[in-house]
Amino acid sequence: MSDRLEAILADAVPRVCAAAVAMIAVDGSVAASAATGELVRYADAGGSLATERPPASLASIFDLASISKLFTTVVLLSLAEEGRLGLDEPATALLPEADPRITPRRLLTHTAGLPPTRRIDRELPGADAAARMAAMVRTPILHPVGGPYLYSDVGMVMAGRLAELAAGAPLDALVRARITGVLGLTGTGYRPARPDGIAATECKAGRPGPGCVRGVVHDETAYALGGVAGHAGVFAPAEDLLAFGEMLRQGGGPVLSQASVAEMTRDQGVRDAPFRHGLGVRIGDPGITGPLDGAYGHSGFTGTSLVVDPARRLTVVLLTNAVHPVRGRPGIRELRGAVAAEARRLA
């Protein structure tokens, strides 16, 4: 049953991405899986082929980019269940320097009025990660609070920091204790120990090499914050991400309560968003879910996506490195749609 999925990936590699791994689960069982391409194909931004080009496999690990936001969201919701923070409580309860109009709910729905990005590495080139984080959480509100929708990595960085302050532990430790350790996701986490088995991303001047970035977070802001941030930084293989998605599809146990998952995946009524928005998740975003209307999930800038469709009992994972060796390659939206269409056929 994986032949069709393998053909879909083969059509995109290396045109869209150098490596691709996909997994589709129906009612909790893997119905199709495929892996193709090379974890490292290019040696430089000019597209010179690398001398060593290890093949991708189902166990390969990818930089999840903004799918990391879902891990931050789940950590925050677990802390809310314990009463350590309130979703509608002013952020000043934990961050006195923050604007009192900011709340966890507004951060998770991208309605806090914060700017989309902030290149803190350029603003504070000589500062350490702690000083940069302190500056990030002091980012002033520049847009209307409460909406309209404005996607903000800055807001998710702040959400991750709120989780740390509420729990008294670093975000990577919280993700490990509250998600990956509970679910047995041994291949998932921030700051991998070594690059072996990890797909390369972009070739970026001034970043550790040789060659393209590999095993270090691609996102510039997350890198400037030490590799752990609320908006990016998590690495994972497809099987682990599938298990994370299945946890949500089946109601949250043993990580979250059903009530928390229901609130996470409820349309929060965000104004002027091009799709419905839950807490940290996009609902019915055609650029991610394709023909799986009503499904929810998130994508990542590196070329990744996670889609959960409770009505069709589907969880769909696509991991690619579409930014290798440079960003801006066309076709990732179409690839996501094709994988989602295959999942719908299998449902």
Side-chain angles (χ1 to χ4, degrees), residues 151-177:
Y151 186 74
S152 175
D153 281 347
V154 177
M156 289 304 301
V157 170
M158 191 176 292
R161 184 60 182 145
L162 286 176
E164 292 182 330
L165 294 170
L171 183 59
D172 55 343
L174 294 174
V175 168
R176 185 168 54 250

Side-chain angles (χ1 to χ4, degrees), residues 70-75 78 173-185 188 244 247 255:
L70 300 186
F71 288 81
T72 301
T73 299
V74 168
V75 166
S78 73
L174 294 174
V175 168
R176 185 168 54 250
R178 292 172 176 266
I179 303 174
T180 62
V182 176
L183 297 177
L185 311 183
T188 300
F244 176 77
M247 175 271 294
V255 174

Side-chain angles (χ1 to χ4, degrees), residues 221-297:
T221 301
Y223 180 71
L225 295 172
V228 179
H231 72 298
V234 176
F235 288 74
E239 185 177 29
D240 279 12
L241 189 57
L242 190 78
F244 176 77
E246 277 292 298
M247 175 271 294
L248 294 174
R249 186 187 70 82
Q250 296 183 54
V255 174
L256 289 176
S257 68
Q258 288 188 351
S260 289
V261 173
E263 184 64 15
M264 179 181 178
T265 58
R266 177 180 69 84
D267 182 0
Q268 298 287 317
V270 176
R271 290 190 292 113
D272 297 334
F275 37 74
R276 289 168 290 150
H277 211 287
L279 297 179
V281 296
R282 299 177 176 187
I283 306 168
D285 177 1
I288 302 171
T289 65
L292 300 176
D293 52 313
Y296 63 83

Side-chain angles (χ1 to χ4, degrees), residues 34 89 100 120-121 135 152 170 252 257 311 340:
E89 181 179 80
I120 202 68
D121 54 328
S152 175
S257 68

